[in-house]
Amino acid sequence: MARINSPTELEELRQEILSQRDPDKPCITLCSGTACHATGSEKIASAIEQEIEKQGLEAEVDFRRTGCHGFCERGPIVVIYPEEICYLQIKPEDIPEIISQTVKEKKVIERLLYTDPTTGEKVTYESEIPFYNNQERLVFGPNRRIDPKSIEDYLAIGGYRALAKALFEMKPEEIIEEVKKANLRGRGGGGFPTGRKWEFCRNAPGDIKYVVVNCDEGDPGAYMDRALMEGNPHSVLEGLIIGAYAIGSHEGFVYVRQEYPLAVENLNIAIKQAEEYGFLGQNILGSGFDFIVNVHRGAGAFVSGEETGLLISLQGRAGEPRPRPPYPAIRGLWDKPTNINNVETWANVPLIIDRGAEWFASIGTEGSKGTKIFSLVGKVNNTGLVEVPMGMSLRDIIYNIGGGIPGGKKFKAVQTGGPSGGCIPEEFLDSAVDFDELTRLGSIMGSGGLIIMDEDTCVVDVARYFVDFLCDESCGKCIPCREGLRHMRELLNDIVEGKGKEEDIELLEELSRVMAKASLCALGTTAANPVLTTLRYFRDEYRAHVEEKRCPALVCKELVSYYIDPAKCQACLICLRNCPAEAISGARNQIHVIDQAKCTKCDTCFDVCPARFGAVKKISGEPVPAPPPEKERVLVKAKRG
Ligand SMILES: Cc1cc2nc3c(=O)[nH]c(=O)nc-3n(C[C@H](O)[C@H](O)[C@H](O)COP(=O)(O)O)c2cc1C
Ligand code: FES
């Protein structure tokens, strides 16, 4: 690997790499992101390597392990280039057929294709699958085309071109101006304008300045930063180096949570490669600019993702936030001016420098430009990572990309912004997803979690879940957050357990107001969002829990009872045999009865009762009907005979 000393040498290298690549040569790509890793992509990779060798195709076929393709629900994913034939949920035993049929003979294997659930049609090409063709994957797109462990793959798609432009064609102030003109807003939660933050840091007094990548990503269900860091670490590094040059920093840190080993592995490889090529270290690309990067593994506490907590954690102490101001741009790491941005924010920077602020600002809405990667999870058919232009409606994301709600159930709400976000109901499904609109609805964009809930979800229980999470994750340093969350958790526990009092709802609102005003960091100030939004949009459900001791969604265990409808029971013994509490009595010719005293409300009988019988009933807020007397149980069964 030779060091690159100028933009000309970089372009020469790129041309050399491209000249060695035949775009028509068959290439098998396999998603090797963490989710697909968990569903067996390593075994598939071995099967591909062995089969290529067995069929003597080493010279004719390329094989590339890529990062996450986004459609994790259907992984592991294999895409065969140049046609882009896409096979989903691949198993090692499919590989010989894929190679002999598709790679060699160009024949499509129907059973491995995506089937459109609405039309029943098979879709051959990746770009035509509705999950993908409704997205605009500017930041995340390269993930599926490159091997994250190969800097040559990144260079082949134009990598480090923006860095060369920044270093040789732009002054630091011009870069900041370009990022400001693009109106890039932070993707880590707050949506603060990135260019302005860089400017504060550049103008802050002091010779030593630091830049930091926030890859803590503690939101439950969110994994877009992990997927970017695993799948395209060079894009984050390139953004970081450009930012460092613009700000006047010569040392950077990437803070990655401990649970992301593959992200750390690929990042370390990328740093080493970038150093060898001269994109990092002394005299980068011969420009005279020096910059080094260190990787720090965080212990995985949600609150350590908050910028002041993260910087303290980077210095080796417990990651507890401190009051701001002073903001990190003025006093950050070791009291020096520090600029911290989210992984996705940094990864947007090369795009802006390469393609220009005007192009970037042409995507999105008035106040929110560019795209956003969301982690689409919960009760939706196509779970995974999706990247869409800012301003796309929730409905388009959930139905066109996510494929709607499974099992023909009704949509109930979507939680945006992670644990500090809010629950948005059906009436706002046509709202544009951008920073300002979500705030108007009482929620936040956050880092991009979208948790979909169907009609079987109890929103009070959901609010309880998030408050419980935040209560455990609160650092405990400030009283409003520590005690407020604890008290909120107690109140919500009482409500879902049927012990709630009428005044509890008002008390929840009062606590929310105090926490929002008095907490030390945004964990506390936003913690009440799930409670406030569910109260705003689903107040009736809180009332039902408190006043009628009823859970309308039939979720809250203490408020739900199960019984077997004697008119529907077929005495099939299935529920009786499966009940782990031995709470069901009956026999082959005797309808079954649940002993309410023994029932643990585990849902098993409800799940196993065949749908064609539908005999097990779940009720809430009403007394359980008395079972028929013993002799009538036999009689009913005898009649059916
Ligand atoms: C409790 C809490 C957790 C946070 N976790 C993260 C995180 O995991 N990743 C992140 O980028 N920002 C997180 N943030 C936001 C950071 O404090 C900070 O605003 C962000 O890193 C700035 O980058 P940006 O301007 O690019 O968004 C968190 C904030 C709070 C209050
Ligand atoms: S990890 Fe394979 S598609 Fe996401």
Side-chain angles (χ1 to χ4, degrees):
M1 208 180 271
R3 210 192 130 85
I4 308 294
N5 290 308
S6 70
T8 314
E9 282 184 25
L10 173 62
E11 273 322 302
E12 283 167 5
L13 172 67
R14 198 185 322 282
Q15 292 314 319
E16 191 188 324
I17 293 168
L18 288 172
S19 70
Q20 288 160 4
R21 295 180 176 207
D22 174 2
D24 296 326
K25 186 177 176 188
C27 177
I28 306 170
T29 64
L30 168 72
C31 169
S32 302
T34 291
C36 287
H37 201 77
T39 48
S41 66
E42 267 313 293
K43 284 192 181 135
I44 297 166
S46 307
I48 294 173
E49 280 162 353
Q50 280 165 21
E51 197 60 29
I52 288 178
E53 197 186 330
K54 197 170 140 199
Q55 298 199 27
L57 296 171
E58 292 97 326
E60 287 139 68
V61 178
D62 284 337
F63 168 46
R64 185 172 293 141
R65 290 172 207 225
T66 69
C68 171
H69 290 215
F71 203 4
C72 311
E73 166 90 24
R74 302 297 179 90
I77 297 171
V78 160
V79 181
I80 295 135
Y81 290 87
E83 297 84 4
E84 281 200 24
I85 296 166
C86 180
Y87 292 142
L88 305 169
Q89 287 172 319
I90 297 303
K91 297 195 180 51
E93 48 274 27
D94 299 320
I95 297 304
E97 193 183 352
I98 291 177
I99 294 185
S100 54
Q101 291 298 301
T102 308
V103 177
K104 279 170 81 177
E105 302 288 330
K106 305 287 173 206
K107 285 185 189 149
V108 172
I109 306 164
E110 292 265 318
R111 76 183 151 78
L112 300 177
L113 295 174
Y114 173 80
T115 311
D116 192 315
T118 44
T119 60
E121 267 175 40
K122 298 276 182 189
V123 184
T124 306
Y125 306 107
E126 187 182 40
S127 56
E128 290 176 5
I129 297 175
F131 176 81
Y132 290 120
N133 71 10
N134 287 294
Q135 297 187 42
E136 191 164 349
R137 294 193 292 169
L138 301 176
V139 180
F140 199 53
N143 257 45
R144 67 192 207 285
R145 290 163 55 209
I146 63 172
D147 174 353
K149 292 185 169 66
S150 159
I151 191 169
E152 288 76 19
D153 277 11
Y154 185 64
L155 291 170
I157 60 162
Y160 290 106
R161 188 167 56 207
L163 175 64
K165 182 175 172 186
L167 292 178
F168 290 90
E169 295 172 34
M170 299 171 87
K171 293 199 189 81
E173 294 82 359
E174 284 171 344
I175 297 172
I176 292 178
E177 217 36 58
E178 196 70 4
V179 176
K180 276 165 78 178
K181 240 169 53 195
N183 197 7
L184 173 66
R185 292 173 67 175
R187 302 314 199 220
F192 193 82
T194 304
R196 274 177 55 204
K197 198 152 86 173
W198 289 13
E199 195 169 48
F200 291 145
C201 196
R202 177 167 180 83
N203 293 339
D207 291 338
I208 298 174
K209 292 176 184 173
Y210 298 108
V211 283
V212 177
V213 180
N214 188 342
C215 187
D216 189 57
E217 201 173 52
D219 291 14
Y223 63 106
M224 43 272 154
D225 294 346
R226 184 189 77 203
L228 258 183
M229 197 59 102
E230 281 176 7
N232 194 358
H234 283 290
S235 68
V236 185
L237 281 181
E238 188 177 359
L240 183 68
I241 307 165
I242 294 171
Y245 171 67
I247 288 163
S249 160
H250 299 285
E251 187 166 6
F253 293 84
V254 186
Y255 187 97
V256 194
R257 69 169 35 226
Q258 181 73 16
E259 294 99 315
Y260 286 2
L262 185 58
V264 172
E265 183 186 326
N266 289 356
L267 173 65
N268 278 324
I269 292 171
I271 291 173
K272 197 162 173 290
Q273 292 170 336
E275 283 169 351
E276 283 168 4
Y277 268 121
F279 301 124
L280 275 176
Q282 302 282 308
N283 192 18
I284 293 173
L285 287 176
S287 67
F289 175 62
D290 308 331
F291 181 65
I292 56 166
V293 177
N294 313 282
V295 178
H296 183 96
R297 300 187 74 167
F302 178 66
V303 76
S304 299
E306 193 278 340
E307 56 186 25
T308 60
L310 184 147
L311 297 178
I312 289 168
S313 165
L314 252 175
Q315 293 169 71
R317 305 208 302 274
E320 290 176 353
R322 61 152 176 83
R324 298 173 310 173
Y327 286 91
I330 308 296
R331 226 171 91 196
L333 263 186
W334 295 288
D335 290 341
K336 307 290 181 208
T338 302
N339 181 84
I340 175 165
N341 278 119
N342 168 261
V343 172
E344 193 182 333
T345 315
W346 288 117
N348 266 287
V349 170
L351 289 174
I352 294 171
I353 299 303
D354 191 36
R355 298 170 77 168
E358 223 166 278
W359 162 81
F360 188 82
S362 70
I363 306 159
T365 60
E366 182 65 27
S368 307
K369 301 298 185 189
T371 59
K372 177 77 193 87
I373 307 175
F374 291 99
S375 170
L376 186 62
V377 297
K379 299 291 177 65
V380 63
N381 278 311
N382 305 329
T383 57
L385 296 178
V386 305
E387 182 178 353
V388 297
M390 294 275 192
M392 185 179 265
S393 72
L394 282 166
R395 188 185 301 280
D396 283 344
I397 298 176
I398 296 166
Y399 287 90
N400 293 348
I401 298 174
I405 316 299
K409 297 273 180 183
K410 226 172 139 294
F411 168 87
K412 182 166 187 174
V414 49
Q415 168 85 13
T416 73
S420 317
C423 259
I424 299 173
E426 192 179 9
E427 60 191 287
F428 297 112
L429 267 182
D430 291 310
S431 304
V433 179
D434 74 5
F435 288 108
D436 309 316
E437 185 65 9
L438 290 177
T439 308
R440 206 180 59 77
L441 296 174
S443 186
I444 53 169
M445 172 90 78
S447 58
L450 285 181
I451 304 173
I452 314 302
M453 302 166 204
D454 70 6
E455 57 188 306
D456 293 337
T457 313
C458 171
V459 289
V460 186
D461 189 49
V462 166
R464 195 255 308 241
Y465 167 81
F466 285 122
V467 166
D468 194 42
F469 172 85
L470 292 171
C471 196
D472 287 346
E473 295 293 330
S474 164
C475 73
K477 191 169 167 181
C478 79
I479 293 169
C481 171
R482 185 183 70 219
E483 296 306 319
L485 277 165
R486 208 177 288 174
H487 198 170
M488 261 189 175
R489 174 158 73 179
E490 277 165 20
L491 291 171
L492 287 162
N493 276 340
D494 279 354
I495 293 174
V496 297
E497 285 168 15
K499 294 181 274 184
K501 297 183 282 304
E502 278 191 52
E503 59 270 26
D504 288 351
I505 296 180
E506 262 178 48
L507 197 49
L508 277 173
E509 285 174 321
E510 198 182 327
L511 275 168
S512 304
R513 279 194 294 272
V514 173
M515 282 168 58
K517 283 219 170 94
S519 297
L520 184 141
C521 83
L523 188 147
T525 57
T526 59
N529 280 348
V531 176
L532 288 174
T533 49
T534 47
L535 274 171
R536 178 164 157 189
Y537 299 123
F538 300 95
R539 204 175 186 92
D540 285 354
E541 292 202 21
Y542 278 84
R543 285 225 184 89
H545 282 74
V546 172
E547 292 164 18
E548 303 165 43
K549 308 299 172 205
R550 178 171 68 88
C551 173
L554 301 172
V555 169
C556 298
K557 244 183 172 186
E558 311 294 332
L559 302 180
V560 169
S561 304
Y562 296 74
Y563 78 96
I564 297 170
D565 183 347
K568 293 193 169 166
C569 179
Q570 302 293 310
C572 68
L573 297 177
I574 295 179
C575 63
L576 187 147
R577 285 189 182 134
N578 282 283
C579 175
E582 298 184 350
I584 301 177
S585 59
R588 265 255 168 257
N589 283 315
Q590 195 179 37
I591 57 161
H592 306 340
V593 171
I594 299 175
D595 180 342
Q596 298 297 322
K598 285 188 184 167
C599 176
T600 59
K601 303 177 184 183
C602 67
D603 231 31
T604 306
C605 56
F606 189 76
D607 283 345
V608 298
C609 179
R612 61 185 189 283
F613 303 160
V616 177
K617 303 286 179 200
K618 245 166 133 174
I619 51 170
S620 182
E622 53 183 300
V624 180
E630 194 86 26
K631 58 181 184 187
E632 282 180 34
R633 294 181 201 171
V634 182
L635 189 70
V636 173
K637 181 66 190 170
K639 256 192 208 162
R640 281 188 203 120

